[in-house]
Amino acid sequence: MKAFVYQANPSRVVFGLGALQHLTREIDLLGAKRALVLSTPEQADSARRIAELLGERAAGIFPEARMHVPIATARAARNEARRLGADCAVAIGGGSTIGIGKAIALESAAEGGFPIIAIPTTYAGSEMTPIYGLTEGGMKKTGRDPRVLPKTVIYDPELTLTLPLGMTLTSALNAIAHASEGLYAPDGSPIVALMAEEGIRAAAAALPRLAANPRDLEARSDALYAAWLCGSVLGHVSMGLHHKLCHTLGGSFDLPHAEVHTVILPHALAYNASHAPEAMRRITRALGVADGPLAAATGVFDLARAHGAPTTLRDIGMPADGLDRAADLAVQNQYPNPRPLERSGIRELLQHAFDGTRPG
Ligand code: NAD
């Protein structure tokens, strides 16, 4: 057994069909009285439904969450919380909405904190991490701060029934990406590896069932369980080349988050395959595909392609003349990755992702 350090992230998870009914109990357990309900404009109806459920415990709704958490939106949300006398927030939605909750928690940290209750409706996993992002002046800054970790997470699979199929597939692959990189993270540990392998297994098994029937509640449940595990992995360890590339492509070329993860993952795994054989074996086993040097990479690629998820950067809006700049950006800073960061190899990886070439 290799030496390791494991620091648990303290959050409470309430999981299950109909778990939303426990929301008021959970607010009471936090000692909070009045919640500001956060959502995107697209999910404003869900925010209103939550406010109704909360009755007098609802301070109001803020349905203005946006991708990449613009600082102005975060400040407007915090000011709204103050104006309405809210002492906690309930974030219903994906990573963008939970991101606004985290930004309020961060901005309020000096004033004694502001607890966030997250109700995730995608598989992105932000609810389980102390990672925040804020965009100011066109630059997205990310960081880790334990104070932004949601205190309570309510996973109710019924709330994911409305997630469109395309987003369902890419979001599940986004979860698989967290777990995959967690398996070769230098700060990994046996428990994180267990969560990662089980998360990949549950997501990969749910995906074909969801593609066949997006309203399959058992499959929705399994996918949300996977999101919890994979999000926990992301929250506990550092990520490598795959996440760095996705961050660069998303931020500099404004590509959609979950789709970029879906397209890049097979190629990032192929790049790292020879330098992380044990991680690759575990990913392969979790995907349930035959073992081989590139089996993790091809397994993820085939899973995406078989169900109609995107496999080319070209199709999700990447300009061909941006590939060189993306490769330059990817090697600008050093970060942990099993295989050393080589510009030519990364440029080749990006070309494969751009063309949608099956690894190997
Ligand atoms: P998102 O939150 O941007 O949601 C995309 C769209 O889907 C939104 O319009 C949203 O309202 C809608 N949607 C969400 N759930 C729905 C549902 N059940 N039914 C119908 N519509 C629904 O997407 P995301 O992929 O969850 O999050 C992406 C963002 O989160 C990115 O900015 C990313 O950087 C961030 N993120 C952060 C972390 C972290 O740990 N800090 C982790 C993962 C993602």
Side-chain angles (χ1 to χ4, degrees):
M1 175 69 60
K2 271 184 8 197
F4 64 88
V5 173
Y6 172 71
Q7 168 82 50
N9 290 330
S11 71
R12 175 176 163 91
V13 171
V14 180
F15 189 102
L17 279 178
L20 181 61
Q21 65 183 303
H22 302 306
L23 179 57
T24 50
R25 177 191 78 193
E26 294 302 320
I27 291 178
D28 292 348
L29 282 172
L30 288 173
K33 300 265 178 280
R34 280 164 65 77
L36 179 66
V37 184
L38 313 171
S39 75
T40 59
E42 294 81 15
Q43 287 180 287
D45 280 349
S46 302
R48 277 190 282 274
R49 190 179 144 210
I50 299 282
E52 268 166 36
L53 182 78
L54 289 179
E56 61 185 16
R57 289 185 188 80
I61 70 168
F62 184 85
E64 308 293 338
R66 296 256 174 286
M67 188 87 117
H68 304 312
V69 195
I71 186 105
T73 310
R75 296 217 167 114
R78 188 202 51 189
N79 293 342
E80 189 65 352
R82 278 194 189 136
R83 189 181 73 76
L84 294 167
D87 59 1
C88 68
V90 172
I92 176 147
S96 297
T97 304
I98 294 165
I100 292 288
K102 289 176 164 181
I104 305 179
L106 192 66
E107 296 259 317
S108 313
E111 301 151 24
F114 194 83
I116 308 301
I117 297 157
I119 308 178
T121 62
T122 70
Y123 311 127
S126 176
E127 66 280 358
M128 293 309 298
T129 83
I131 305 167
Y132 63 88
L134 272 175
T135 305
E136 188 169 17
M139 286 291 290
K140 185 165 178 178
K141 182 181 91 174
T142 59
R144 280 183 186 253
D145 190 316
R147 296 171 299 186
V148 309
L149 182 74
K151 295 270 181 283
T152 305
V153 181
I154 297 181
Y155 285 107
D156 187 336
E158 276 183 44
L159 302 173
T160 59
L161 286 176
T162 49
L163 192 64
L165 178 59
M167 178 81 188
T168 296
L169 301 175
T170 54
S171 198
L173 283 151
N174 184 191
I176 289 178
H178 306 326
S180 299
E181 290 226 296
L183 281 166
Y184 52 60
D187 45 1
S189 65
I191 192 157
V192 168
L194 282 175
M195 289 194 286
E197 189 171 340
E198 173 64 358
I200 297 171
R201 188 205 59 74
L207 234 146
R209 291 148 64 207
L210 289 171
N213 176 14
R215 296 195 62 82
D216 178 340
L217 255 184
E218 264 306 308
R220 285 283 179 197
S221 221
D222 291 351
L224 207 52
Y225 161 64
W228 167 52
L229 292 170
C230 298
S232 299
V233 171
L234 175 67
H236 279 102
V237 297
S238 38
M239 296 283 113
L241 175 65
H242 168 79
H243 279 73
K244 173 71 182 174
L245 278 177
C246 292
H247 185 79
T248 301
L249 292 167
S252 306
F253 300 93
D254 201 26
L255 303 186
H257 175 81
E259 283 92 330
V260 179
H261 275 273
T262 300
V263 174
I264 292 292
L265 185 61
H267 305 286
L269 291 178
Y271 181 92
N272 280 331
S274 56
H275 288 66
E278 176 57 17
M280 297 301 152
R281 254 192 303 281
R282 293 187 79 153
I283 297 168
T284 305
R285 187 164 68 193
L287 292 172
V289 294
D291 210 359
L294 283 180
T298 53
V300 172
F301 184 89
D302 294 344
L303 188 64
R305 187 170 60 178
H307 300 102
T311 52
T312 73
L313 283 181
R314 190 197 292 111
D315 288 352
I316 61 167
M318 180 71 190
D321 61 6
L323 295 175
D324 280 321
R325 185 153 70 93
D328 290 341
L329 290 169
V331 292
Q332 229 169 40
N333 302 312
Q334 285 304 309
Y335 44 88
N337 191 62
R339 177 172 157 193
L341 305 172
E342 299 149 9
R343 195 203 177 272
S344 63
I346 292 174
R347 179 64 182 80
E348 195 182 345
L349 176 172
L350 287 167
Q351 191 65 49
H352 289 152
F354 186 78
D355 296 331
T357 318
R358 186 175 187 265

